[in-house]
Amino acid sequence: MVMLQEMSIAQAHDGFRRGNLTAEDLTTAFLRRIEAFDKVGPRINAMMALFTTAIEEAASLDRYFKETGKFKGKLHGIPIVVKDQADTKGIVTTHGSAVGLNNVADKNAFAIKKLKDAGGIILGKTTTSEWACCWFSASGATGYEFTKNPYNLGHDVGASSSGSAAALAANFAILAVGEDTGGSIRVPSSFCNLVGIRPTPGLISRTGFCPLIKVQDSPGPMARNVRDCALMLDCMVGFDPEDEFTGVAATAVAMEVPRGASYAAFLEDGPEKIRKAKIGVMRQMFGSNDDPKCQAVNKVISDAMEKLQGVGTTFVDVNIDNLKHYMTYSQTYLIRSRADINSFLATKPHLPSDIADIVPKTPAHPYLDLLSAMAHGPAEPTLEPTYASRLLLRDELKRATSCLIASLGLDALVFPDVQIPAPRFEDATNGSIETLKFPTNTFLSSQTCMPAISVPAGFTKNGLPVGLELLALEYQEQHILELARGIEVTLEARRAPDEDSWAV
């Protein structure tokens, strides 16, 4: 029997080399686990569709290894699940919408092709919020059924990479593809005790991904540990002539980024690096201690920082004046998302050409208010009177953030990904959490286009995970991965969910 709990890339590859595990064994075991827990039993509801060819592909990789004695690539035989926002050849991609239930792409998104070229095995697609535009997991594609948090089945997993996070936390795969426009990798990573990185936009191609805000969108890796996250990032980055934003990836190569030709090359320097690090604490991004939910998160983050301080990390309180105004006014979801999504729909003639014809103006559910407002925004963003001033303020925020880090000689900024733990499902409908005011801090990275990573910080008293976010200057993915590795080693905050609690 294959033991899947918390299996890493290194453990799987060691098993392949020793001959006591095959890619086919591993793939079969994960598919059986999905069958046992996703739509029956606890009904995690993380998966949208599964590839019928996954076992066959695994067997082919086993033959390749047997014949050559080599792995096809860094992800040889590693099972991966993919957010249902990315085109995958031969299997449905819904974008979280009922109109996409019969949408099957004829080729893979560029990043998915790169993962397969590295030997990854795509098991299937994971649930996502509708058009990747909601903080809760339920969508029209699932009949508005929520995806359950493996750490507490009565709580949500966050969105929009909801199924990817739940699948990893529930040990349905070793790696997952997420996508992050405003926090959609980092929020569910925080809620599910995972490592998730949002890289500098353009390092990873968005070709084949439905956009939300093209200048902010970035696919990225999600994993249960920092090393796996770094290795997956290695296999996703790269120039794509069909995505002009990936000039960023070409620039990184010219700068010889990453050092050592891999984002994982110097991870084991992480513990020493975190001991010497000087990190700016954004206290203005912590929730009020008068709110019990915020207080629970603040305690976890404070305890984590105290432990890091104990090994030598220097923390300095920092501040950005008028931050709340910067982060709210510089958002452009309601101005340009309709046009960006419509540009993608134009490549899908079998789907409606305007998101406004798909999403009702009056939200079908309270937590879809942002989606409805976005879908019925202006068809041409440049005609919106405030558009230019919002972009100018966004650029000003980026300069202010970069100068803060540089002027104080900081390695990174730190704050909780989200000011509250994973919410209950009823919080989506009872008005206790307003979707348009969801208390996330992830917009700072998204709107400045600076890289950020979520790393497990610990658990609240009632067992809900809390993520700590590190934000750094552009192209410093390797730097924050190394810091995250130091945090991972120091805090040892990652643990698997208690499956006994899944009993029904």
Side-chain angles (χ1 to χ4, degrees), residues 182-418:
S184 296
I185 286 174
R186 292 160 291 151
V187 171
S189 291
S190 175
F191 289 167
C192 290
N193 203 218
L194 303 172
V195 178
I197 188 168
R198 170 195 164 80
T200 304
L203 274 184
I204 299 174
S205 169
R206 289 82 55 81
T207 300
F209 282 77
C210 180
L212 189 55
I213 299 179
K214 285 184 178 179
V215 297
Q216 291 182 200
D217 295 338
S218 182
M222 301 170 71
R224 287 186 293 268
N225 65 73
V226 174
R227 178 166 293 279
D228 285 1
C229 191
L231 291 172
M232 188 178 182
L233 182 61
D234 283 344
C235 301
M236 295 181 77
V237 300
F239 176 71
D240 171 14
E242 293 187 28
D243 181 358
E244 62 187 14
F245 284 83
T246 58
V248 167
T251 302
V253 171
M255 294 165 58
E256 298 185 352
V257 173
R259 295 172 299 118
S262 170
Y263 286 100
F266 302 103
L267 281 182
E268 293 318 306
D269 293 342
E272 180 65 18
K273 194 165 194 172
I274 197 65
R275 285 194 286 272
K276 295 179 178 179
K278 181 181 179 183
I279 296 177
V281 184
M282 300 284 289
R283 298 284 179 189
Q284 62 200 129
M285 298 176 75
F286 286 60
S288 170
N289 276 321
D290 292 336
D291 181 328
K293 294 177 182 177
C294 295
Q295 185 183 54
V297 168
N298 292 347
K299 178 168 174 42
V300 173
I301 298 297
S302 295
D303 288 350
M305 290 195 300
E306 185 178 340
K307 192 169 184 179
L308 290 166
Q309 212 165 8
V311 300
T313 308
T314 299
F315 289 101
V316 181
D317 284 359
V318 297
N319 185 77
I320 295 176
D321 292 339
N322 301 316
L323 181 62
K324 186 175 182 180
H325 175 63
Y326 273 128
M327 292 197 28
T328 53
Y329 190 74
S330 64
Q331 292 181 29
T332 57
Y333 290 89
L334 304 188
I335 296 175
R336 68 169 295 165
S337 290
R338 179 183 178 184
D340 284 349
I341 292 175
N342 286 351
S343 70
F344 180 79
L345 291 174
T347 70
K348 307 286 183 182
H350 54 287
L351 296 177
S353 61
D354 191 343
I355 188 71
D357 295 330
I358 299 172
V359 175
K361 195 167 187 177
T362 300
H365 299 278
Y367 53 88
L368 299 177
D369 52 357
L370 175 59
L371 173 64
S372 289
M374 173 274 295
H376 293 272
E380 174 47 63
T382 58
L383 299 179
E384 163 59 42
T386 66
Y387 186 48
S389 62
R390 289 174 186 271
L391 296 184
L392 289 170
L393 193 71
R394 184 194 66 197
D395 292 346
E396 190 176 319
L397 172 61
K398 181 173 185 174
R399 291 193 298 272
T401 307
S402 299
C403 287
L404 173 65
I405 293 171
S407 63
L408 295 177
L410 303 175
D411 286 278
L413 300 178
V414 69
F415 42 85
D417 290 289
V418 192

Side-chain angles (χ1 to χ4, degrees), residues 75-243:
L75 304 182
H76 180 99
I78 300 301
I80 304 169
V81 292
V82 176
K83 181 181 180 181
D84 202 23
Q85 186 181 356
D87 282 346
T88 40
K89 183 179 179 179
I91 194 172
V92 67
T93 301
T94 72
H95 307 290
S97 173
V99 302
L101 288 172
N102 294 311
N103 174 46
V104 179
D106 57 7
K107 67 176 183 178
N108 287 315
F110 186 85
I112 305 307
K113 180 181 182 301
K114 284 182 67 65
L115 291 172
K116 289 176 69 70
D117 288 347
I121 299 169
I122 308 300
L123 296 184
K125 307 300 286 296
T126 59
T127 57
T128 182
S129 60
E130 208 152 335
W131 299 102
C133 186
C134 182
W135 296 112
F136 290 89
S137 61
S139 76
T142 62
Y144 297 104
E145 179 180 353
F146 290 92
T147 296
K148 294 176 182 174
N149 192 315
Y151 289 91
N152 187 317
L153 300 181
H155 289 251
D156 197 40
V157 289
S160 61
S161 304
S162 43
S164 289
L168 285 186
N171 283 279
F172 289 172
I174 291 178
L175 302 172
V177 174
E179 191 279 343
D180 190 308
T181 302
S184 296
I185 286 174
R186 292 160 291 151
V187 171
S189 291
S190 175
F191 289 167
C192 290
N193 203 218
L194 303 172
V195 178
I197 188 168
R198 170 195 164 80
T200 304
L203 274 184
I204 299 174
S205 169
R206 289 82 55 81
T207 300
F209 282 77
C210 180
L212 189 55
I213 299 179
K214 285 184 178 179
V215 297
Q216 291 182 200
D217 295 338
S218 182
M222 301 170 71
R224 287 186 293 268
N225 65 73
V226 174
R227 178 166 293 279
D228 285 1
C229 191
L231 291 172
M232 188 178 182
L233 182 61
D234 283 344
C235 301
M236 295 181 77
V237 300
F239 176 71
D240 171 14
E242 293 187 28
D243 181 358

